Short mmCIF file of all heavy atoms in Angstrom, two decimals:
data_model
loop_
_atom_site.label_atom_id
_atom_site.label_comp_id
_atom_site.label_asym_id
_atom_site.label_seq_id
_atom_site.Cartn_x
_atom_site.Cartn_y
_atom_site.Cartn_z
N LYS D 83 7.40 -6.21 -11.08
CA LYS D 83 7.94 -5.89 -12.41
C LYS D 83 9.11 -4.93 -12.29
O LYS D 83 10.12 -5.06 -12.98
CB LYS D 83 6.85 -5.28 -13.30
CG LYS D 83 5.88 -6.27 -13.87
CD LYS D 83 4.88 -5.58 -14.77
CE LYS D 83 3.87 -6.57 -15.31
NZ LYS D 83 2.86 -5.91 -16.15
N GLY D 84 8.96 -3.92 -11.44
CA GLY D 84 10.04 -2.96 -11.23
C GLY D 84 11.27 -3.62 -10.65
O GLY D 84 12.40 -3.34 -11.07
N LEU D 85 11.09 -4.51 -9.67
CA LEU D 85 12.23 -5.20 -9.08
C LEU D 85 12.91 -6.13 -10.08
O LEU D 85 14.13 -6.26 -10.08
CB LEU D 85 11.79 -5.98 -7.84
CG LEU D 85 11.48 -5.15 -6.59
CD1 LEU D 85 10.88 -6.02 -5.51
CD2 LEU D 85 12.72 -4.44 -6.09
N ARG D 86 12.12 -6.76 -10.96
CA ARG D 86 12.71 -7.64 -11.97
C ARG D 86 13.53 -6.87 -12.99
O ARG D 86 14.41 -7.43 -13.64
CB ARG D 86 11.61 -8.44 -12.69
CG ARG D 86 11.25 -9.70 -11.96
CD ARG D 86 10.30 -10.56 -12.76
NE ARG D 86 9.00 -10.43 -12.08
CZ ARG D 86 7.85 -10.15 -12.67
NH1 ARG D 86 7.80 -10.00 -13.96
NH2 ARG D 86 6.76 -10.05 -11.98
N SER D 87 13.26 -5.56 -13.13
CA SER D 87 14.02 -4.76 -14.10
C SER D 87 15.40 -4.39 -13.57
O SER D 87 16.25 -3.93 -14.33
CB SER D 87 13.24 -3.49 -14.46
OG SER D 87 13.23 -2.59 -13.37
N LEU D 88 15.64 -4.59 -12.27
CA LEU D 88 16.93 -4.23 -11.67
C LEU D 88 17.93 -5.37 -11.81
O LEU D 88 17.56 -6.53 -11.95
CB LEU D 88 16.73 -3.94 -10.17
CG LEU D 88 15.86 -2.75 -9.80
CD1 LEU D 88 15.70 -2.68 -8.29
CD2 LEU D 88 16.45 -1.46 -10.33
N PRO D 89 19.23 -5.02 -11.74
CA PRO D 89 20.25 -6.07 -11.70
C PRO D 89 20.10 -6.92 -10.44
O PRO D 89 19.55 -6.47 -9.43
CB PRO D 89 21.57 -5.29 -11.68
CG PRO D 89 21.23 -3.94 -12.18
CD PRO D 89 19.82 -3.69 -11.83
N GLU D 90 20.59 -8.13 -10.49
CA GLU D 90 20.45 -9.11 -9.41
C GLU D 90 20.91 -8.57 -8.05
O GLU D 90 20.22 -8.71 -7.04
CB GLU D 90 21.23 -10.38 -9.77
CG GLU D 90 21.27 -11.43 -8.69
CD GLU D 90 20.00 -12.25 -8.64
OE1 GLU D 90 19.35 -12.40 -9.68
OE2 GLU D 90 19.67 -12.73 -7.54
N LYS D 91 22.09 -7.96 -8.02
CA LYS D 91 22.67 -7.50 -6.76
C LYS D 91 21.84 -6.37 -6.14
O LYS D 91 21.56 -6.37 -4.94
CB LYS D 91 24.11 -7.04 -6.98
CG LYS D 91 24.91 -6.96 -5.70
CD LYS D 91 26.36 -6.73 -5.99
CE LYS D 91 27.09 -8.02 -5.69
NZ LYS D 91 28.53 -7.87 -5.74
N GLN D 92 21.44 -5.39 -6.97
CA GLN D 92 20.61 -4.29 -6.47
C GLN D 92 19.27 -4.82 -5.95
O GLN D 92 18.79 -4.40 -4.90
CB GLN D 92 20.35 -3.26 -7.57
CG GLN D 92 21.49 -2.30 -7.81
CD GLN D 92 21.15 -1.28 -8.88
OE1 GLN D 92 20.11 -1.36 -9.53
NE2 GLN D 92 22.03 -0.32 -9.06
N ARG D 93 18.67 -5.73 -6.69
CA ARG D 93 17.38 -6.30 -6.29
C ARG D 93 17.49 -7.00 -4.95
O ARG D 93 16.67 -6.79 -4.05
CB ARG D 93 16.91 -7.28 -7.36
CG ARG D 93 15.58 -7.90 -7.05
CD ARG D 93 15.12 -8.83 -8.13
NE ARG D 93 16.10 -8.87 -9.21
CZ ARG D 93 16.18 -9.80 -10.12
NH1 ARG D 93 15.34 -10.79 -10.13
NH2 ARG D 93 17.09 -9.79 -11.06
N SER D 94 18.52 -7.84 -4.80
CA SER D 94 18.67 -8.58 -3.54
C SER D 94 18.93 -7.63 -2.37
O SER D 94 18.43 -7.86 -1.27
CB SER D 94 19.77 -9.62 -3.65
OG SER D 94 21.02 -9.00 -3.84
N ARG D 95 19.70 -6.58 -2.60
CA ARG D 95 19.98 -5.61 -1.53
C ARG D 95 18.73 -4.82 -1.16
O ARG D 95 18.47 -4.58 0.03
CB ARG D 95 21.10 -4.68 -1.94
CG ARG D 95 22.46 -5.37 -1.96
CD ARG D 95 23.55 -4.49 -2.46
NE ARG D 95 24.85 -5.17 -2.36
CZ ARG D 95 25.99 -4.68 -2.82
NH1 ARG D 95 26.01 -3.51 -3.44
NH2 ARG D 95 27.12 -5.34 -2.68
N LEU D 96 17.94 -4.41 -2.16
CA LEU D 96 16.70 -3.69 -1.87
C LEU D 96 15.72 -4.57 -1.10
O LEU D 96 15.07 -4.13 -0.13
CB LEU D 96 16.04 -3.19 -3.16
CG LEU D 96 16.60 -1.91 -3.76
CD1 LEU D 96 16.00 -1.66 -5.13
CD2 LEU D 96 16.32 -0.74 -2.84
N ILE D 97 15.60 -5.83 -1.51
CA ILE D 97 14.69 -6.75 -0.82
C ILE D 97 15.15 -6.98 0.61
O ILE D 97 14.34 -6.97 1.55
CB ILE D 97 14.58 -8.08 -1.61
CG1 ILE D 97 13.81 -7.83 -2.91
CG2 ILE D 97 13.91 -9.16 -0.77
CD1 ILE D 97 13.80 -9.01 -3.85
N ALA D 98 16.45 -7.17 0.79
CA ALA D 98 16.97 -7.40 2.15
C ALA D 98 16.76 -6.18 3.03
O ALA D 98 16.39 -6.31 4.21
CB ALA D 98 18.46 -7.75 2.08
#
Side-chain angles (χ1 to χ4, degrees):
K83 283 182 182 177
L85 286 172
R86 274 187 253 131
S87 71
L88 296 176
E90 175 80 28
K91 198 171 253 189
Q92 281 182 353
R93 181 178 0 162
S94 65
R95 288 176 175 174
L96 279 172
I97 290 172

